[in-house]
Amino acid sequence: SVEAKPYLTGVCSGSTGSGFFINSSGHIATNGHVASADPKDIIISDAVNMLVKGDTRYFKYIASVAGVVDADIAGAKSNNEAIEIIVDKMYKIDDSKITVTNNVTNLLVGLNEKQPDIEELLKVTKARQSYPEQDSVKAAKVVDKDYRVIDGITQFKSSDVAIIKIEGSNYPVTKLGSIDGLSQGASLLILGYPGSAGNNGLVESSESKPTLTSGKVSAVKSAKGSEKKLIETDTTIGHGNSGGPAFDSTGNVVGIATYTVAGAGEGNGTFNYVRDIKDLKDLASKASVTIDPKSATQTEWDKGIDLFYNSRYSKAVKSFSKVKSLYPAHPKADELIAVANERIKSGQDIKDFPYLIVVIAVASLGGIGA
C-alpha cells in the first residue's frame, strides 16, 4: 500500500546468487539485487516499467507522493535526466508511506552442496510461511545495502552491494584486498553458482557445487557518472554468479561479480563487470560491521591446505578433522580427508624426520696417568 491505499497485490520478488563470509560471526557480502526485497524498490520498479510500456499513471502517482513539482525537472537536459531526477526523489519517500501486509520474506543461505529446494521455497512463501532451517541452510537477514533497483539511467547513485547475516560462529572467511595496483592483464578468478552451469541438462542439478572461472582484467573503469570503480573482465560471469567473490592472483578478494552486458547478437561480444571491493568496505564501515580475516576454522583450513600440498597427509587429515569439528558444514573438508587417506594408503605420505636426542657425557680425569 502507498499512503494507506492498495497499490500492488500478490507480488512476489526473488532471485538467487552467490556470496562470501567477511567475518567468522556470519556476516556475508553479496549484491544488493540478490538480497534485497524492499517494497520501495518494487513499487518504483513497477512504476518505471509501466512508464516504459507507455502507461504513465503509476509513475505520475508515485512522483506526486514524492512531492515532485515542475521546478524539480526544469533544468533537465533530456527525458532520461528528468526521469532520474524524479526517481531520485521517489527514493526519498518516507518509509512509513509504504506498507506491506500478509507478507513473508525467505532470505536463505546454503552453506554447502545441499541448497534450498526451490519448489518447496516457492510453495511455502506463497503460503506466507517461513522456509524451515536445516544444518546447511540458514535463514538470513539484511544488515545493510547500497542498492537501487532503478539506477544508472544517466549516472549511478549506488553500488549494488549488500551485507546479510546468519546466526552462528566459526565460519571460514575470505581475505579482502584492493584494486589499487590491479593492472590490465592481471589474472582474475571468480567463484560462484552460475545457474546455467548447474541446470543445463548435462549435469546433475540436484547437487550444487561452486564453479571457478578464470580470466584477465580487461580494464579498470569508472561507473557511469560516478567515482566508483568497475573491473572489466573476460572472466565468465553468469546469472547466479552475482555477489560472488573475484580473487586476484594472491587469493585476495578484489571485487564482487555484478554485471554482464551481452552484445553478441550485434557482434560486440559479452562484457563482464566486477564491483570494486572498496564499495563493500565502505558499506561495512557505515553499518559498523567488522571485516575480520581471523577465524579459527580458516586458520586450521589454511594449515591443512599447506600440509596437504606438501604431501604431509597424516598431519593434513588432523587439521581437516579440526575444521569439521569447528564447522561441520564445510563443503571441502570431507573431500580432502578422503583424498589424503587414499594417498596415505598408497605410501605417498611424507613424515617428519625423527630427531634423536643424543646426550654425550664427557668425563675428565685429572692426575698422573690419566
Side-chain angles (χ1 to χ4, degrees), residues 70-81:
D70 290 342
D72 292 323
I73 58 174
K77 298 175 182 178
S78 67
N79 192 46
N80 279 347
E81 190 173 329

Side-chain angles (χ1 to χ4, degrees), residues 279-329:
D279 295 337
L280 171 68
K281 292 178 178 178
D282 290 344
L283 180 64
S285 177
K286 171 179 169 286
S288 300
V289 172
T290 301
I291 296 173
D292 188 0
K294 299 185 183 74
S295 159
T297 300
Q298 193 64 38
T299 298
E300 204 61 52
W301 174 256
D302 291 341
K303 179 182 174 183
I305 287 291
D306 186 57
L307 291 165
F308 184 90
Y309 284 106
N310 281 287
S311 301
R312 285 174 160 73
Y313 298 116
S314 295
K315 287 191 171 183
V317 168
K318 291 180 181 179
S319 286
F320 294 146
S321 296
K322 287 182 181 177
V323 168
K324 287 287 292 179
S325 66
L326 288 166
Y327 179 52

Side-chain angles (χ1 to χ4, degrees), residues 68-70 73 76 92 112 154 159 163 169 207 227 246 249 253 258 290 303 315 318:
V68 176
V69 295
D70 290 342
I73 58 174
K92 295 173 182 175
N112 54 27
T154 65
S159 59
I163 297 173
S169 59
E207 60 183 16
E227 294 182 356
S249 58
V253 181
T258 306
T290 301
K303 179 182 174 183
K315 287 191 171 183
K318 291 180 181 179

Side-chain angles (χ1 to χ4, degrees), residues 187-261:
S187 296
L188 206 64
L189 298 167
I190 293 179
L191 194 63
Y193 293 85
S196 56
N199 189 18
N200 53 23
L202 297 175
V203 299
E204 177 55 56
S205 60
S206 62
E207 60 183 16
S208 184
K209 293 185 177 181
T211 295
L212 181 70
T213 56
S214 63
K216 302 291 184 181
V217 173
S218 302
V220 176
K221 299 180 176 180
S222 296
K224 184 169 63 173
S226 168
E227 294 182 356
K228 296 179 184 296
K229 300 299 181 182
L230 295 174
I231 304 168
E232 184 181 302
T233 178
D234 61 352
T235 313
T236 302
I237 300 175
H239 294 294
N241 266 125
S242 290
F247 298 91
D248 64 13
S249 58
T250 64
N252 292 330
V253 181
V254 294
I256 303 175
T258 306
Y259 308 114
T260 292
V261 179

